[in-house]
Amino acid sequence: QVQLVESGGGLVQVGGSLRLSCAASGTIFSRNDMGWYRQAPGEQRESVASITSGGTTNYADSVKGRFTISRDNAKSTVYLQMNSLKPEDTAVYYCNAQEPAGRWGQLEFWGQGTQVTVSA
């Protein structure tokens, strides 16, 4: 059973930084595409950043230049470094894993989420 456990969320002032971590277990982490999503109250969940198994990254326009996604395959962990935080970054942040499943395509897994609150 794949498990994703996020950590690193919290309360931070505008302009501050946080580093989210997502530790994966029960999967061959290096084969997975990984991503971070967020969901603010009353809003739909949106993609923030992703990193493929080969290390290719992609970012939402709203976070480009401020957030950095990275992975450590030896630790089965994906990170999201968030700098220059803004109030609109306030949301629950979720870790996402896309696990190759052969002819079935990909299996998708989610973490439980971690709250990030940016105070003005």
Side-chain angles (χ1 to χ4, degrees):
Q1 181 74 13
V2 176
Q3 285 193 319
L4 303 174
V5 179
E6 300 105 333
S7 61
L11 175 64
V12 65
Q13 290 186 330
V14 169
S17 298
L18 283 175
R19 188 195 196 201
L20 305 184
S21 300
C22 171
S25 60
T27 183
I28 303 175
F29 180 81
S30 61
R31 297 173 57 191
N32 295 348
D33 295 339
M34 302 296 298
W36 287 96
Y37 287 71
R38 67 186 180 187
Q39 187 168 19
E43 302 290 333
Q44 289 190 334
R45 190 173 297 189
E46 63 174 356
S47 175
V48 175
S50 63
I51 184 166
T52 68
S53 57
T56 300
T57 58
N58 192 48
Y59 297 92
D61 287 342
S62 60
V63 307
K64 281 181 181 176
R66 301 188 297 121
F67 290 11
T68 302
I69 189 170
S70 61
R71 65 190 297 158
D72 185 337
N73 289 338
K75 295 183 178 179
S76 297
T77 300
V78 62
Y79 304 97
L80 185 68
Q81 178 66 45
M82 306 186 294
N83 298 329
S84 302
L85 283 161
K86 304 175 181 180
E88 51 263 43
D89 295 318
T90 295
V92 178
Y93 283 70
Y94 296 91
C95 179
N96 174 272
Q98 302 278 341
E99 182 182 72
R103 61 182 176 178
W104 293 280
Q106 287 185 312
L107 298 177
E108 185 173 55
F109 300 93
W110 294 92
Q112 82 286 354
T114 185
Q115 176 71 45
V116 171
T117 303
V118 184
S119 64

